[in-house]
Amino acid sequence: MNDKITEHGAESCCITDAKFHSCEIKGEFSENNMSGCRFERCNLSGSALAESDMTGAVLDKVNLTGAEFTGCDLSGVNISDCKLEGAEIDGISIKELIEFYKNNHKENKAMKKNVRKAIIAGNWKMNKTRPEAKALLEELKPMVADVNDVEIVACVPFTNLETALNVTAGTNIKIGAENCHFEKSGAFTGEISADMLAEMGVEYVVLGHSERRQYFAETDETVNKRTKAALAAGLKPIVCVGELLWERECNITEEVIARQIKLDFYDISADDLKKCVIAYEPVWAIGTGKTATADQAEEVCAFIRATLAKLYGEEVAESITIQYGGSMNAGNAAELVSKTNVDGGLIGGASLKAADFTTIIMAAHNG
Ligand code: PGA
């Protein structure tokens, strides 16, 4: 419909699922069944709607200035981009109602962040001999001994795993590896299986790091296989995703991230996903000193969560820890981890100094 419908209102009419476009709908409307109606660019200013069923109605770009809804069933009504000055539902300003909802929703999101445990993980990469690893962890241990609300993880080279496990036994520092192979055993010279790590007492494993993707031909398919193998062995995978600089410049960050999430977690159940951590690491920020701004990190981490919500549902998505990684340091960690969807960090360079790593852990602890 596209016209001046009425200036006098309507009573006891059944106009379910009707579509009104650019209509003037003025006057008093009572006891109508208008459920499922769609109003687009209509003018309902000054109208009074009473005791009507409007369930599931959509009001898009509608002028509702001064409109009054009294005793109407408005469940499931979708109001978008409407003029709402002076519009009221049962005497309460619609603008205020929306504001109240938005604030509450924000609070809920913040509360969900508190439900997720922050994880600060060091990724030592190809650094530290065994004596150096021992010294670093011995220094770190007392500095973070009182932190119990942040999961502290050191992901170390294979050769340091045994040393690291011994030094941190009985402490709040967990140990992770930096990769694992997807086969259980066999002719894969130079590789380490997930079972070998689990048997040692290793808890976490970094998978799909951009350096593995860049220098060792790691693909989303092999990341997916490794993730499944790690989960089967009882390890907690820290799966890394992130866009290259030119992909960001071409404005395809979201496509890249969505693709990685879909492929890396392909055929992984919700229960298994809950055992995983996701690290958002923009490749252009790794080891370059160029950190993503806290807002850029939040934007992509929120996008990852929204992608997970589409695949696994909101409840699962809200429970997953999503870290930021890429030149996170003692100076910028607090702002990054303060963001609603940034639940910690995967830290390279700054995890090699006990004092810097501790400052980052404290930022998550206090945040
Ligand atoms: P970076 O490395 O903190 O040195 O940038 C992060 C990572 O590679 O995980």
Side-chain angles (χ1 to χ4, degrees), residues 123 125 209 211 281 285-287 325-328 346-349:
N123 172 17
K125 309 194 180 185
H209 190 279
E211 286 149 16
E281 299 208 310
I286 296 176
S327 299
M328 196 190 249
L346 182 58
I347 297 106

Side-chain angles (χ1 to χ4, degrees), residues 140-213:
L140 182 67
K141 268 195 309 191
M143 294 169 110
V144 297
D146 294 335
V147 178
N148 49 27
D149 57 349
V150 177
E151 180 95 325
I152 304 168
V153 187
C155 299
V156 307
F158 293 129
T159 49
N160 289 340
L161 285 171
E162 187 140 31
T163 306
L165 286 164
N166 286 338
V167 175
T168 57
T171 74
N172 56 345
I173 302 172
K174 308 284 168 58
I175 298 303
E178 298 177 14
N179 193 21
C180 72
H181 197 258
F182 44 81
E183 293 295 345
K184 279 185 98 56
S185 62
F188 300 98
T189 305
E191 291 295 324
I192 304 280
S193 77
D195 286 337
M196 292 173 182
L197 299 174
E199 183 277 329
M200 292 181 81
V202 169
E203 242 179 85
Y204 286 85
V205 60
V206 177
L207 294 173
H209 190 279
S210 67
E211 286 149 16
R212 301 285 329 160
R213 294 178 192 254

Side-chain angles (χ1 to χ4, degrees), residues 119 121 153 155 175-180 194 197 202-209 222-241 264-265 268-269 271-279 320-323 346:
I119 303 180
V153 187
C155 299
I175 298 303
E178 298 177 14
N179 193 21
C180 72
L197 299 174
V202 169
E203 242 179 85
Y204 286 85
V205 60
V206 177
L207 294 173
H209 190 279
T222 55
V223 175
N224 176 250
K225 284 170 138 185
R226 286 173 210 264
T227 306
K228 285 176 179 162
L231 286 164
L235 298 172
K236 296 173 188 158
I238 300 178
V239 179
C240 305
V241 296
D264 296 354
F265 293 102
I268 287 177
S269 70
D271 280 347
D272 274 345
L273 180 81
K274 287 182 185 167
K275 295 169 195 152
C276 298
V277 177
I278 296 175
I320 306 295
T321 293
I322 303 177
Q323 303 172 311
L346 182 58

Side-chain angles (χ1 to χ4, degrees), residues 68-275:
E68 281 175 21
F69 297 82
T70 343
C72 295
D73 187 344
L74 297 166
S75 25
V77 169
N78 190 331
I79 298 180
S80 63
D81 216 1
C82 294
K83 281 195 183 154
L84 297 168
E85 277 69 28
E88 290 185 350
I89 296 174
D90 294 328
I92 304 169
S93 150
I94 298 185
K95 272 194 138 178
E96 277 175 28
L97 276 176
I98 291 176
E99 208 45 44
F100 178 76
Y101 169 78
K102 274 190 187 159
N103 287 339
N104 256 359
H105 195 63
K106 256 190 234 156
E107 251 167 49
N108 278 343
K109 288 263 173 199
M111 276 167 64
K112 281 178 186 151
K113 179 179 170 78
N114 293 340
V115 168
R116 299 186 288 269
K117 194 166 188 179
I119 303 180
I120 299 292
N123 172 17
W124 287 11
K125 309 194 180 185
M126 196 172 71
N127 291 294
K128 304 286 176 193
T129 60
R130 283 184 303 164
E132 288 167 348
K134 185 170 185 298
L136 175 54
L137 290 167
E138 291 289 12
E139 193 185 351
L140 182 67
K141 268 195 309 191
M143 294 169 110
V144 297
D146 294 335
V147 178
N148 49 27
D149 57 349
V150 177
E151 180 95 325
I152 304 168
V153 187
C155 299
V156 307
F158 293 129
T159 49
N160 289 340
L161 285 171
E162 187 140 31
T163 306
L165 286 164
N166 286 338
V167 175
T168 57
T171 74
N172 56 345
I173 302 172
K174 308 284 168 58
I175 298 303
E178 298 177 14
N179 193 21
C180 72
H181 197 258
F182 44 81
E183 293 295 345
K184 279 185 98 56
S185 62
F188 300 98
T189 305
E191 291 295 324
I192 304 280
S193 77
D195 286 337
M196 292 173 182
L197 299 174
E199 183 277 329
M200 292 181 81
V202 169
E203 242 179 85
Y204 286 85
V205 60
V206 177
L207 294 173
H209 190 279
S210 67
E211 286 149 16
R212 301 285 329 160
R213 294 178 192 254
Q214 193 178 345
Y215 306 127
F216 304 98
E218 194 80 71
T219 63
D220 287 311
E221 191 186 355
T222 55
V223 175
N224 176 250
K225 284 170 138 185
R226 286 173 210 264
T227 306
K228 285 176 179 162
L231 286 164
L235 298 172
K236 296 173 188 158
I238 300 178
V239 179
C240 305
V241 296
E243 80 287 1
L244 304 171
L245 182 58
W246 72 273
E247 289 169 332
R248 176 165 279 263
E249 285 170 352
C250 292
N251 222 3
I252 59 162
T253 300
E254 291 194 349
E255 279 103 309
V256 172
I257 301 291
R259 185 189 152 87
Q260 289 175 338
I261 294 287
K262 284 179 191 163
L263 295 176
D264 296 354
F265 293 102
Y266 172 72
D267 201 22
I268 287 177
S269 70
D271 280 347
D272 274 345
L273 180 81
K274 287 182 185 167
K275 295 169 195 152

